[in-house]
Amino acid sequence: MPVFDSHVHLNSPRFSRDAEHVWRRANDAGVSAAVVVGYDLPSSRRAIELAENCQGLFAAVGIHPHGSDETTEDALTELSRLAQNPAVVAIGETGLDFYRNLQPRGVQERSFRMHLELASDSGLPVIVHVRDAFCEAAQCLQDYQGEGVIHCYTGGPSELAGFLERGLHISFSGVITYKSGQQVREAAKIVPADRILVETDCPYLSPAPERRKRNEPAYVVRIVERMAQIRGETIDRTASQTYRNASRLFRLDDLS
């Protein structure tokens, strides 16, 4: 039962001493592929480094909305250069976060649109972070014709339509294992089978019953188990479907 973790941050300082060991532990748990997602220029470079040195890891390059003021023309030029590396399979993470509002909304939207343009130009899918900004994100995506994924989905069923209509994938994290995650579980029930992904978003959002631990890719198996229960499927079916979906989205079909 190979599993694909579609969003990890093994490039985080919290893995600075043991990223490769953590990935081997994930392999032992049945996780054979993952995308290491950049959130600024240094972490994007580190994502590529990990992908080049660890079998089954792939990279995404981008600037998180929390640092969207760093999305200058020079930074975008550098991201464009990094995106040409064969290890890079996506642009991101980018998007809008109106929950923490660490950057002005206009600055976030400008950065998001610049990333969408880069994804279109590079022909790579985009990894989108959305928190408390579902309508605004859908508006930014209105003219985007490429592929992508709404990562770590935290909305309910009613917020899905704007993203599904644009052909985007929806990825679910450990939030589906939380008592507070009922609306997210309701959304997980109705996402089309060919659009659903799973992720840890490690080192954040450890799934139950691992909540007090640093999250890591091995724990995505817990999310697959809960997703299978939510959707009334076998664990093997959920694992294989989400693996195929991620492989197709990131153009890694030779892995399946």
Side-chain angles (χ1 to χ4, degrees):
M1 184 190 72
V3 179
F4 198 129
D5 188 340
S6 67
H7 195 111
V8 305
H9 292 297
L10 290 177
N11 47 353
S12 162
R14 293 181 65 183
F15 294 111
S16 61
R17 296 185 178 182
D18 63 348
E20 290 83 359
H21 178 73
V22 168
W23 181 237
R24 288 195 296 271
R25 187 155 57 231
N27 293 162
D28 291 343
V31 184
S32 59
V35 178
V36 184
V37 181
Y39 47 86
D40 57 17
L41 287 177
S43 66
S44 294
R45 297 186 190 103
R46 175 59 173 158
I48 292 172
E49 179 185 2
L50 286 166
E52 289 177 334
N53 288 285
C54 298
Q55 185 175 3
L57 289 182
F58 303 90
V61 297
I63 297 174
H64 193 283
H66 289 344
S68 52
D69 60 334
E70 298 175 8
T71 311
T72 62
E73 292 294 341
D74 287 345
L76 203 68
T77 298
E78 175 66 2
L79 287 176
S80 180
R81 186 190 69 79
L82 293 174
Q84 296 174 32
N85 187 295
V88 175
V89 298
I91 300 299
E93 66 185 282
T94 181
L96 303 175
D97 192 315
F98 294 172
Y99 175 75
R100 294 193 183 279
N101 271 324
L102 296 185
Q103 297 291 337
R105 295 186 177 192
V107 173
Q108 292 189 46
E109 290 178 0
R110 177 178 179 274
S111 174
F112 187 18
R113 292 183 189 279
M114 292 172 74
H115 280 79
L116 291 175
E117 184 175 348
L118 175 57
S120 295
D121 291 346
S122 64
L124 294 173
V126 65
I127 297 174
V128 181
H129 171 109
V130 184
R131 193 165 184 196
D132 283 9
F134 292 103
C135 292
E136 294 85 354
Q139 285 183 331
C140 288
L141 287 159
Q142 198 163 22
D143 297 324
Y144 176 66
Q145 301 298 315
E147 295 184 286
V149 55
I150 306 300
H151 108 88
C152 190
Y153 186 74
T154 55
S158 62
E159 289 85 14
L160 282 172
F163 303 121
L164 294 177
E165 287 170 1
R166 288 165 178 76
L168 298 175
H169 290 65
I170 309 295
S171 184
F172 293 89
S173 69
V175 172
I176 65 169
T177 71
Y178 301 167
K179 290 181 180 179
S180 61
Q182 183 57 36
Q183 72 164 356
V184 185
R185 287 189 287 275
E186 292 299 322
K189 288 180 183 178
I190 64 173
V191 174
D194 63 349
R195 304 273 199 87
I196 198 163
L197 302 179
V198 291
E199 64 172 90
T200 54
D201 197 17
C202 67
Y204 317 106
L205 300 174
S206 299
E210 319 290 351
R211 290 287 308 264
R212 297 184 181 276
K213 302 177 183 178
R214 177 189 66 175
N215 201 7
E216 58 182 67
Y219 298 155
V220 75
V221 176
R222 299 284 192 186
I223 298 165
V224 169
E225 291 169 349
R226 188 69 176 99
M227 181 67 75
Q229 185 182 45
I230 290 166
R231 292 173 67 88
E233 303 172 344
T234 66
I235 294 171
D236 283 351
R237 179 179 175 82
T238 299
S240 62
Q241 181 70 65
T242 54
Y243 195 104
R244 286 195 303 271
N245 293 346
S247 297
R248 184 179 64 252
L249 173 64
F250 298 119
R251 297 164 196 170
L252 304 169
D253 290 320
D254 58 321
L255 289 176
S256 357

